[in-house]
Amino acid sequence: MAQSFDMVVIGSGPGGYVCAIRGAQLGLKVAVIEREHLGGICLNWGCIPTKALLRSAEVFHLMHRAKEFGLSADKIGYDLGAVVQRSRGVAKQLASGVGHLLKKNKVTVIMGEATLTAPGKLAVKTDKGAEEVTGKAIVLATGARARNLPGLEADGDLVWNYKHALQPPRMPKKLLVIGSGAIGIEFASFFNTLGADTTVVEVMDRVLPVEDAEISVLAKKQFVKQGMKILEKATVKKLDRAPGKVTAHIERDGKTETQDFDTVISAVGIVGNVENLGLEKLGARIDRTHVVTDEYCRTGVEGLYAIGDVAGAPWLAHKASHEGVMVAELIAGQHPHPIKPNAIPGCTYCNPQVASVGLTEEKAKAAGYEIKVGRFPFIGNGKAIALGEPEGLIKTVFDARTGELLGAHMVGAEVTELVQGYVVGRTLETTEAELMETVFPHPTLSEMMHESVLSAYGRAIHF
């Protein structure tokens, strides 16, 4: 006999489990179907374990700077196995917490692989056999996986994807990272800090290509200062694999050169998990491995929604979670607001950190805005100097006519913890006047946010 629910969520990542919990809070009878690990890629193989690795690298880096702070530290070293073990432990702790939260909210968890057989009907393959599950509404939260390009396929030995890099079988001596988006540059930052001779190849004209150009330039300057080699407007055409060695054929400026590495990390994007779900049969549209939806995550098939990475860019956990809440409320009969893409912040946890929200200076101009731009450097901030982190910038972009905050972009220590102030400002449709009148605590890094706003209007005090 089929199990029946008001809402069935396929996938338990940050989109799926949040959607399920919100639905349960609103009185819906909810089930989550998960084929692998509760918490999805984010908690098990993405956002969380990478941050644990990067924290270890950050502490290691600071230990080498001990003398700057009047301290001494001798025989500084690391145990890669212990670093990885800590990262896996953090991931395990949070993933088990998801199970507790689902249980607490009386969400039924079904471990298995789901296929849509008809509108509102699912066949679920479990360890015990096949089960039939029905739902008045079904939410696809199946996520995405690493893209494999022909000739650059990960093998877990010489060529790694993000999963291999999270549990490295060895410490690379000479590392090639293909792609300088968030995933690529975070792994490059981690291994470079621990001593790998690191080269990053980016096909676009700058690293972190989705960020404001000025921020990308400043970030690159720091990466190079740390010893990274950055090759922009470059393409890895082929990898020749031999025992213990990979020869990369890198095309740049119309010329192809070869370089040898012992390890390659491929970070060239992701593809949505849309296979074997029965979507085409129901009439759901798929565009370049992602389910096509409207602003409310509706697929066009009655009662079928798609959220998170499987529904397309931006591929961010917090975007998935917010969509999950919105869809649960919609299914429960409420009237939530759709998500505004330009109000979704992006954070990259390399050293230095990078964070942003809204339009870049270039995109604001392309959209026809007359703009005012504010800039405030870390060197002008007392807390940054006290922390020993004087390099960085906070940049703001305003509509010169209305005072609307169009975008904010930053590079430097702890900026991923600062950007939310501007996100709240954008959500509240704050103008420069409210931001200028806001009292920021001293001494804090957040004062730079205030000064950047003042700078846009020629009023900066400390620089």
Side-chain angles (χ1 to χ4, degrees), residues 370-425:
E370 181 186 342
I371 61 173
K372 287 184 179 290
V373 178
R375 297 174 179 85
F376 194 84
F378 275 48
I379 193 67
N381 177 260
K383 180 67 178 290
I385 295 169
L387 289 174
E389 301 287 354
E391 298 189 47
L393 178 74
I394 294 187
K395 178 177 179 178
T396 47
V397 182
F398 289 89
D399 181 343
R401 188 175 62 84
T402 66
E404 179 189 357
L405 175 65
L406 298 174
H409 312 275
M410 47 188 80
V411 56
E414 301 302 330
V415 295
T416 59
E417 300 294 337
L418 297 179
V419 70
Q420 190 60 23
Y422 288 133
V423 178
V424 171

Side-chain angles (χ1 to χ4, degrees), residues 48-204:
I48 299 302
T50 54
K51 303 313 156 287
L53 291 180
L54 287 160
R55 175 60 172 165
S56 292
E58 180 185 14
V59 173
F60 184 65
H61 174 69
L62 283 171
M63 289 169 71
H64 280 88
R65 296 179 58 196
K67 193 174 180 181
E68 293 177 36
F69 298 92
L71 307 173
S72 61
D74 299 323
K75 298 180 181 178
I76 299 166
Y78 63 86
D79 177 341
L80 184 61
V83 169
V84 171
Q85 186 177 15
R86 176 181 180 272
S87 168
R88 300 314 307 155
V90 170
K92 184 177 179 181
Q93 178 182 341
L94 286 165
S96 66
V98 170
H100 168 74
L101 289 170
L102 291 170
K103 184 178 180 181
K104 174 187 170 187
N105 286 277
K106 298 181 174 54
V107 174
T108 300
V109 175
I110 302 170
M111 298 303 294
E113 194 155 357
T115 303
L116 287 151
T117 56
K121 291 186 179 180
L122 295 158
V124 184
K125 196 185 300 179
T126 71
D127 289 342
K128 298 174 183 176
E131 292 184 26
E132 186 178 320
V133 175
T134 65
K136 295 173 186 174
I138 294 174
V139 182
L140 303 172
T142 51
R145 62 187 183 277
R147 182 187 299 278
N148 262 330
L149 294 181
L152 309 182
E153 296 92 350
D155 55 34
D157 178 21
L158 298 171
V159 183
W160 300 347
N161 60 24
Y162 63 89
K163 278 193 176 182
H164 305 129
L166 280 167
Q167 296 188 107
R170 64 182 179 279
M171 177 63 196
K173 292 184 176 67
K174 193 172 182 188
L175 171 67
L176 171 65
V177 178
I178 307 173
S180 74
I183 295 172
I185 212 69
E186 286 184 2
F187 279 122
S189 191
F190 171 73
F191 285 109
N192 186 72
T193 300
L194 294 189
D197 179 359
T198 304
T199 299
V200 178
V201 171
E202 172 55 53
V203 69
M204 303 296 284

Side-chain angles (χ1 to χ4, degrees), residues 185-362:
I185 212 69
E186 286 184 2
F187 279 122
S189 191
F190 171 73
F191 285 109
N192 186 72
T193 300
L194 294 189
D197 179 359
T198 304
T199 299
V200 178
V201 171
E202 172 55 53
V203 69
M204 303 296 284
D205 63 353
R206 63 178 190 268
V207 293
L208 296 167
V210 302
E211 299 296 341
D212 185 90
E214 190 174 356
I215 299 300
S216 293
V217 168
L218 290 170
K220 177 188 173 182
K221 184 179 176 182
Q222 288 302 301
F223 299 150
V224 171
K225 187 176 179 181
Q226 293 162 18
M228 276 191 220
K229 300 173 188 70
I230 308 287
L231 303 179
E232 295 158 327
K233 293 184 182 178
T235 307
V236 178
K237 305 300 286 186
K238 181 170 69 159
L239 296 174
D240 295 331
R241 308 175 201 215
K245 183 179 79 169
V246 181
T247 300
H249 297 252
I250 303 170
E251 186 181 280
R252 193 181 185 203
D253 298 327
K255 299 175 183 176
T256 300
E257 61 179 59
T258 60
Q259 291 189 40
D260 291 339
F261 301 89
D262 63 55
T263 309
V264 177
I265 295 176
S266 179
V268 290
I270 63 174
V271 293
N273 293 323
V274 294
E275 301 87 355
N276 305 316
L277 289 169
L279 297 176
E280 297 90 340
K281 188 169 68 174
L282 293 186
R285 286 201 305 123
I286 296 170
D287 179 27
R288 288 171 290 182
T289 78
H290 293 90
V291 181
V292 178
T293 65
D294 66 10
E295 61 182 351
Y296 287 101
C297 298
R298 296 175 294 209
T299 65
V301 177
E302 186 67 30
L304 182 64
Y305 303 80
I307 63 173
D309 287 358
V310 76
W315 298 284
L316 299 166
H318 42 283
K319 172 251 196 185
S321 295
H322 208 87
E323 287 179 337
V325 169
M326 178 188 70
V327 164
E329 291 176 351
L330 201 61
I331 291 167
Q334 296 192 355
H335 304 282
H337 294 290
I339 295 169
K340 298 175 183 176
N342 279 332
I344 301 171
C347 296
T348 306
Y349 300 83
C350 46
N351 180 21
Q353 293 182 7
V354 176
S356 61
V357 64
L359 298 177
T360 63
E361 180 179 357
E362 184 181 11

